[in-house]
Amino acid sequence: MTAERVLHLLGAPAASAAAAHRRGPPRPQRVGFPPVKRRVGVACSSSTEEDGMTYKGAGVDIDAGTELVRRIRKMAPWIGGFGGILPHKDEYLVFSVDGVGTKLKLAFETGIHDTIGIDLVAMSVNDILTSGAKPLVFSDYYATGKLDVDLAEKVIKGILDGCEQSGCNMIGGETAEMPGFYAEGEYDLGGFAMGVVDKDKLIDGKNIVEGDILIGLPSNGVHSNGFSLVRRVLDKSGLSLTDQFPGNDGKTTTFSETLMTPTIIYVKQVLEIISKGGVKGLAHITGGGFTDNIPRVFPSGLGAKIFTGSWEVPPVFKWLQQVGKIEDAEMMRTFNMGVGMVLVVSKEAADRIIEESSPAYRIGEVIQGKGVHYV
């Protein structure tokens, strides 16, 4: 399906709000699609902990977010996947919306604005990818108290870079100028993506069985989740963003460079893997880490056994755990720990996929039971 067909599907243009600047094609009319995706995205920071730091202690309560989703499901029981799915003729349209959380705070502090847009695109297109969908279009929301044109241009350039990496088209966006709402020099971002997959190629995890293999594709760092805790640990360490990051495999990088590394966009790599067969499910490892994200793709009655030590954990996570005195379980439920995308594949396809996708790791297997078990 082309972007032109998507725009035709969405309907005729309507007038834009007076308080915002519209970018791109005329605003399409709102369509009554059911809100088929809801994922926790809390972003705040306050803690007085001295030892054993936690995500909740940094201000993010995953359990509260999960409870909100549970309540919403009572009203809209069709939600819960990584992307919202809408049937259309012989295809499914797959939708996702996301932000980059308090990684924005580091963008403000470091002055690095030209890559945060890549993060924004990655968070949505990687979610769409878990259904086997190819991203088609992306739209953004940029809100600020006073519009700094030069700064906004840098952010939007990053968004365009992310669209190029994922092979989708940026079809427009919204720039909202809201005096008194944001601190000077600060802004917020939202990203909205849509992709398409043939109905007979949808990946929904229904065919996953006991004994299937979990393959992890490496991340390049923290990506775009867990930054409320990251910022708390950095504050506790007494170091600054301009200091050299220690123990980074001999590489000379600052904390700014390490933490602001943009999220990997897995689209081209994973679509290539899917095209060769054997993939039954995919989990994008974001907020909730391994513990909360991997079970989302399993049929009822199945869980995961994870072989800790079977992949390379980047130095940034080792540093965070050591300085923050963070428990293993907390790390595995907060960060990606070096694996940004998990593929659930058949035993027969596992060796081939690992060989052709190097670097890739056999990180576990599907078991009878519930949840994620670390061995």
Side-chain angles (χ1 to χ4, degrees):
M1 177 179 288
T2 65
E4 288 76 13
R5 285 174 60 195
V6 171
L7 294 175
H8 176 73
L9 171 71
L10 293 179
S16 61
H21 310 282
R22 188 69 193 163
R23 289 179 272 112
R27 183 197 303 271
Q29 181 181 356
R30 286 189 179 273
V31 181
F33 295 156
V36 286
K37 181 215 178 193
R38 173 72 63 167
R39 197 180 64 206
V40 179
V42 186
C44 49
S45 179
S46 62
S47 173
T48 57
E49 294 178 347
E50 294 297 330
D51 297 304
M53 300 179 75
T54 65
Y55 208 14
K56 185 174 182 178
V60 180
D61 189 343
I62 294 177
D63 291 328
T66 301
E67 171 62 17
L68 175 60
V69 171
R70 187 190 68 81
R71 295 186 188 185
I72 294 171
R73 277 181 175 165
K74 289 184 177 181
M75 301 178 282
W78 49 81
I79 70 165
F82 286 95
I85 299 175
L86 181 74
H88 176 66
K89 298 182 180 179
D90 58 348
E91 300 165 324
Y92 285 112
L93 304 179
V94 186
F95 299 83
S96 180
V97 56
D98 216 325
V100 295
T102 56
K103 190 171 186 176
L104 282 174
K105 284 288 189 181
L106 295 187
F108 306 151
E109 294 170 12
T110 62
I112 300 173
H113 301 283
D114 57 347
T115 58
I116 199 73
I118 298 175
D119 291 299
L120 185 68
V121 175
M123 294 302 290
S124 286
V125 297
N126 285 342
D127 275 356
I128 284 175
L129 189 59
T130 63
S131 297
K134 180 185 186 303
L136 288 181
V137 294
F138 185 86
S139 183
D140 73 283
Y141 175 75
Y142 179 98
T144 187
K146 182 175 177 56
L147 183 60
D148 181 331
V149 176
D150 292 337
L151 188 155
E153 181 183 21
K154 292 177 182 178
V155 174
I156 294 167
K157 180 186 180 300
I159 294 172
L160 287 167
D161 288 343
C163 287
E164 181 178 359
Q165 290 183 32
S166 59
C168 68
N169 297 302
M170 181 177 178
I171 58 170
E174 188 87 346
T175 303
E177 193 168 19
M178 300 185 287
F181 200 80
Y182 295 94
E184 183 179 354
E186 296 193 356
Y187 54 87
D188 200 6
L189 295 173
F192 313 87
M194 190 194 76
V196 65
V197 58
D198 292 341
K199 284 187 175 179
D200 60 354
K201 294 181 179 178
L202 178 72
I203 296 176
D204 56 13
K206 291 181 179 179
N207 296 324
I208 294 174
V209 297
E210 181 183 7
D212 283 340
I213 304 301
L214 304 182
I215 295 176
L217 301 183
S219 72
N220 58 6
V222 184
H223 281 186
S224 299
N225 290 97
F227 276 91
S228 293
L229 182 52
V230 169
R231 290 166 48 236
R232 286 290 301 150
V233 174
L234 182 62
D235 182 62
K236 177 182 179 180
S237 74
L239 298 171
S240 75
L241 289 166
T242 58
D243 286 326
Q244 295 295 313
F245 178 75
N248 197 17
D249 295 334
K251 300 175 183 176
T252 303
T253 58
T254 64
F255 277 93
S256 295
E257 294 166 329
T258 299
L259 297 176
M260 288 300 294
T261 300
T263 305
I264 290 177
I265 293 176
Y266 294 97
V267 172
K268 295 179 180 178
Q269 179 186 13
V270 170
L271 288 178
E272 176 68 18
I273 295 172
I274 291 172
S275 70
K276 297 180 180 179
V279 178
K280 298 183 176 184
L282 297 115
H284 183 201
I285 308 302
T286 56
F290 280 52
T291 304
D292 287 357
N293 283 297
I294 293 177
R296 293 169 67 182
V297 305
F298 293 154
S300 178
L302 295 180
K305 180 191 295 184
I306 298 296
F307 309 132
T308 57
S310 61
W311 71 93
E312 183 177 350
V313 177
V316 64
F317 297 113
K318 299 174 183 178
W319 181 87
L320 287 167
Q321 183 168 24
Q322 180 181 6
V323 175
K325 299 180 181 178
I326 304 171
E327 298 288 339
D328 289 345
E330 188 72 17
M331 293 292 293
M332 299 303 293
R333 198 186 181 200
T334 303
F335 301 112
N336 66 62
M337 297 303 291
V339 173
M341 185 72 72
V342 172
L343 286 65
V344 186
V345 308
S346 64
K347 284 183 176 180
E348 296 75 18
D351 288 340
R352 170 182 57 80
I353 290 173
I354 291 172
E355 182 179 352
E356 294 177 351
S357 307
S358 182
Y361 312 105
R362 185 189 298 256
I363 66 169
E365 61 186 31
V366 179
I367 60 173
Q368 289 288 333
K370 184 179 179 182
V372 177
H373 305 268
Y374 300 98
V375 296

